Amino acid sequence: MKYCSTCGHQVEQRIPEGDNRHRYVCVSCNTIHYQNPRIVAGTVPVWEDRILLCRRAIEPRYGYWTLPAGFMENAETTVEAAERETLEEALAEVIIEGLYSIIDVPHIDQVHMFYRATLKDGQFGAGEESLESRLFGLDEIPWDEISFPTVKRTLELFLTDFKNESFGVHVSDIRHPMEKNRE
Ligand SMILES: [Zn+2]
């Protein structure tokens, strides 16, 4: 950040009074511009024991397979964000079954949340950000072409839980460069 979004003057990095972290502070109007982690919300969409994955039509990870997910917008809930992303990327309407996986990714200041979901009518397609969408059997997951570590982690958890016929809520983290699970 270089300029204040309130008044347009320059910002500087300093620790505001009563705080203990460096923040961007406007040199003119003294507005403190806090920066906090962003939430990525998505689904694990299932239809007849198969998982719906989308192949990315955008960078990063163009051409790789992903669960439908994206940045939460203002004024929506995490469930709404997950439903919206699934509709946008996979043209699929889903019934949310429950929270499934929360993964903190502190080195990029993100929290990824995935909900278990069922396709409403088995219909899906490719939204603007996807080259294609496809249902994969649990033994067909393209592990070498999965887009992001949080998607891979969530799919691994899902396969294990599916075999055990028991779905919990999984809280974990992925830390750069080692993938460390705190479960
Ligand atoms: Zn300002």
Side-chain angles (χ1 to χ4, degrees):
M1 182 180 288
K2 274 186 170 175
Y3 300 104
C4 176
S5 56
T6 303
C7 76
H9 280 83
Q10 274 196 313
V11 294
E12 62 178 10
Q13 278 218 332
R14 62 179 169 85
I15 301 174
E17 201 181 319
D19 203 339
N20 54 13
R21 290 169 190 267
H22 280 88
R23 313 284 184 188
Y24 289 106
V25 183
C26 179
V27 298
S28 177
C29 75
N30 286 317
T31 299
I32 303 168
H33 297 277
Y34 294 98
Q35 295 185 314
N36 300 97
R38 295 198 289 174
I39 291 175
V40 169
T43 60
V44 185
V46 175
W47 183 253
E48 295 173 343
D49 292 351
R50 290 180 294 166
I51 298 176
L52 185 66
L53 297 179
C54 307
R55 204 151 75 83
R56 288 172 64 82
I58 51 170
E59 296 290 352
R61 295 290 185 176
Y62 181 97
Y64 283 71
W65 292 94
T66 191
L67 290 166
F71 288 108
M72 193 176 173
E73 299 286 0
N74 291 340
E76 68 183 356
T77 67
T78 53
V79 166
E80 287 166 351
E83 289 172 334
R84 177 181 52 73
E85 290 290 344
T86 307
L87 187 59
E88 285 176 5
E89 294 182 8
L91 305 183
E93 290 192 60
V94 288
I95 297 155
I96 299 289
E97 309 287 352
L99 180 59
Y100 186 61
S101 167
I102 300 179
I103 305 174
D104 295 322
V105 198
H107 65 280
I108 53 170
D109 305 319
Q110 292 180 7
V111 178
H112 292 210
M113 303 177 62
F114 292 92
Y115 287 88
R116 284 192 299 116
T118 305
L119 296 188
K120 255 181 194 161
D121 48 16
Q123 299 293 309
F124 59 89
E128 285 204 356
E129 295 178 7
S130 306
L131 297 169
E132 60 177 314
S133 298
R134 201 194 296 174
L135 288 167
F136 288 90
L138 298 188
D139 55 354
E140 300 171 337
I141 305 290
W143 292 109
D144 294 336
E145 299 167 49
I146 296 297
S147 57
F148 302 110
T150 56
V151 172
K152 184 163 179 269
R153 165 82 55 85
T154 299
L155 288 171
E156 287 168 349
L157 290 166
F158 193 90
L159 259 64
T160 303
D161 282 4
F162 188 89
K163 279 172 196 152
N164 296 332
E165 295 177 7
S166 168
F167 293 95
V169 176
H170 300 272
V171 180
S172 64
D173 58 58
I174 291 176
R175 289 167 186 273
H176 187 73
M178 293 264 290
E179 285 188 29
K180 193 162 170 286
N181 193 337
R182 73 162 184 233
E183 274 184 297

